[in-house]
């Protein structure tokens, strides 16, 4: 088993240290990574699962430490991010490959689904046409890891050009109207897709490395993963004490549409003004069902060390989660990141880490 010094031994030359790409993704744990690692570094483990992988920042941190990491996320676009940054150990995109993605190729009849369907909703007419072309070129790529990097760059480019970095409402007008603004970055919004895309390809290329262990990405329901892991990191969708949560599938539906481009038209809820995808039942966003979902999740990984990222004002409460774990015969401790709070939050809403050891430890 590799030691907790793996980060230093893997990257003796500081100039070779891979850097996790920038992201504007809701709920990213990027600023908590060192704190999370310091809380778990003395736990002996080789294999680990990031069950709700999101941006992949925690899985990436574990990969940097030489662990055999499985990144998992139920959202297809997130899975592709995990494939690009966690599973991928060698492949990068060359400048010539990037250039070939950014313009039409002769002999290809390009579809116009985004331009026809999403006019005046998220992006300008010219940008929608560009998205149709580039997403089609990406779908035609043969190498799955190069393709994953290209998709990653496209996803991040779409996010950075959106007000609030989300697709939760029809609000292109926020970008285009000629008014004085107190938020957002109009320069970023108006920067051409092509420039953003190249920047994010470079960031993804710089993040690719081989840690010497077997790492992979999966696209499964976290309750239905059969493999066994020494440690399972859990960062479920979060419900605050008012029962309000983050619906990632709704906030980023446009990106899942891009992944499923040829089936996209049949996936849309055409009654919604912003043409989101049809909603599926999600226990993690239901304040009635979420407690039972946690019980099932903990039971699924009863033989693993559980490391649960949470917030101090969540539903269920921390005490309720600890009670479930103790009923399953586990020893449990709670770490609170007192020195770091979420922006615009009060002292009652802090980042918490619940560490729970199975019976056999």
């Amino acid at each position: 088993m590799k030691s907790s010094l793996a980060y230093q031994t893997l990257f003796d030359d500081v100039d070779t240290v891979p850097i996790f790409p920038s992201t504007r993704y809701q709920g990213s744990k990027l600023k908590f990574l060192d704190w999370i690692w310091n809380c778990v570094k003395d736990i002996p483990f080789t294999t680990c699962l990031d069950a709700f992988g999101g941006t992949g920042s925690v899985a990436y941190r574990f990969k940097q430490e030489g662990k055999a990491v499985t990144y998992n996320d139920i959202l297809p676009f997130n899975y592709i991010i995990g494939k690009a940054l966690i599973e991928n150990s060698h492949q990068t995109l060359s400048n010539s490959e990037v250039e070939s993605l950014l313009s039409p190729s002769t002999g290809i009849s390009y579809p116009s689904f985004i331009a026809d369907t999403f006019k005046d909703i998220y992006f300008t007419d010219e940008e929608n046409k560009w998205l149709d072309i580039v997403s089609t070129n990406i779908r035609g790529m043969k190498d799955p890891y190069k393709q994953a990097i290209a998709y990653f760059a496209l996803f991040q480019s779409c996010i950075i050009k959106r007000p609030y970095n989300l697709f939760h409402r029809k609000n292109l007008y926020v970008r285009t109207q000629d008014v004085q603004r107190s938020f957002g970055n109009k320069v970023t919004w108006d920067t051409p897709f092509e420039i953003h895309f190249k920047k994010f390809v470079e960031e993804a290329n710089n993040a690719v490395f081989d840690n010497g262990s077997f790492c992979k990405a999966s696209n499964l329901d976290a309750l239905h993963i059969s493999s066994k892991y020494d440690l399972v990191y859990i960062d479920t969708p979060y419900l605050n004490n008012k029962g309000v949560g983050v619906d990632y599938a709704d906030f980023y539906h446009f990106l899942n549409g891009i992944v499923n481009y040829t089936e996209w038209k049949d996936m849309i809820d055409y009654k919604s003004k912003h043409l989101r995808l049809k909603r599926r039942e999600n226990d993690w966003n239901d304040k009635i069902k979420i407690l039972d979902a946690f019980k099932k999740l903990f039971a699924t990984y009863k033989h693993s060390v559980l490391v649960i990222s949470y917030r101090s004002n969540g539903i269920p409460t921390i005490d309720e989660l600890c009670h479930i774990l103790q009923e399953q015969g586990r020893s449990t401790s709670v770490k609170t990141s007192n020195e770091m709070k979420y922006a615009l939050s009060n002292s009652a809403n802090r980042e918490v880490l619940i560490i729970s050891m199975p019976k056999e430890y």
Side-chain angles (χ1 to χ4, degrees), residues 155-199:
F155 299 154
Q156 297 301 323
S157 300
C158 287
I159 290 172
I160 204 172
K161 285 175 68 67
R162 289 288 304 140
Y164 309 103
N165 308 124
L166 300 173
F167 300 87
H168 62 314
R169 61 173 66 110
K170 177 181 179 179
N171 59 359
L172 177 61
Y173 69 89
V174 175
R175 273 183 54 189
T176 57
Q177 63 184 347
D178 187 16
V179 297
Q180 194 169 16
R181 292 172 172 82
S182 60
F183 77 99
N185 187 338
K186 185 167 173 57
V187 173
T188 298
W189 295 340
D190 293 343
T191 298
F193 258 115
E194 181 173 321
I195 293 176
H196 286 310
F197 185 87
K198 290 180 178 179
K199 169 182 175 289

Side-chain angles (χ1 to χ4, degrees), residues 199-239:
K199 169 182 175 289
F200 286 117
V201 166
E202 182 179 8
E203 289 190 9
N205 280 345
N206 290 338
V208 174
F209 74 101
D210 182 1
N211 76 343
S213 297
F214 178 71
C215 297
K216 67 175 183 177
S218 61
N219 178 212
L220 300 170
D221 185 324
L223 293 172
H224 300 135
I225 298 175
S226 57
S227 300
K228 308 299 182 185
Y229 299 91
D230 299 333
L231 182 146
V232 176
Y233 174 76
I234 295 169
D235 185 18
T236 67
Y238 166 76
L239 283 182

Side-chain angles (χ1 to χ4, degrees), residues 80-124:
I80 290 174
I81 291 174
K83 196 171 188 70
L85 302 179
I86 308 302
E87 183 174 318
N88 180 21
S89 62
H90 293 95
Q91 294 287 17
T92 57
L93 279 180
S94 67
N95 290 337
S96 61
E97 288 170 324
V98 171
E99 292 298 333
S100 71
L101 293 173
L102 296 179
S103 56
S105 297
T106 56
I108 296 178
S109 178
Y110 286 91
S112 57
F113 177 77
I114 296 175
D116 295 341
T117 307
F118 293 95
K119 182 179 176 62
D120 297 328
I121 295 181
Y122 299 121
F123 302 108
T124 66

Side-chain angles (χ1 to χ4, degrees), residues 315-330:
I315 292 178
T317 66
I318 293 171
D319 286 345
E320 286 175 315
L321 292 180
C322 289
H323 180 70
I324 295 170
L325 292 164
Q326 288 160 4
E327 282 189 327
Q328 295 180 358
R330 291 173 162 273

Side-chain angles (χ1 to χ4, degrees), residues 6-75:
Y7 185 91
Q8 286 82 3
T9 58
L10 276 172
F11 313 114
D12 291 330
D13 181 355
V14 69
D15 293 331
T16 68
V17 175
I19 301 173
F20 187 79
S22 59
T23 180
R24 285 170 168 77
Y25 195 78
Q26 287 280 319
S28 173
K29 288 294 185 290
L30 199 55
K31 65 181 179 180
F32 297 106
L33 292 180
D34 287 341
W35 174 70
I36 290 172
W37 174 250
N38 284 331
C39 288
V40 305
K41 65 182 181 181
D42 294 328
I43 299 172
F45 71 100
T46 301
T47 61
C48 59
L49 167 69
D50 187 350
F52 299 80
T55 62
S57 62
V58 174
Y60 192 86
R61 186 69 170 91
F62 288 162
K63 182 179 179 180
Q64 286 178 317
E65 295 295 339
K67 306 301 181 181
V69 183
T70 296
Y71 166 103
N72 178 74
D73 201 285
I74 198 169
L75 297 181

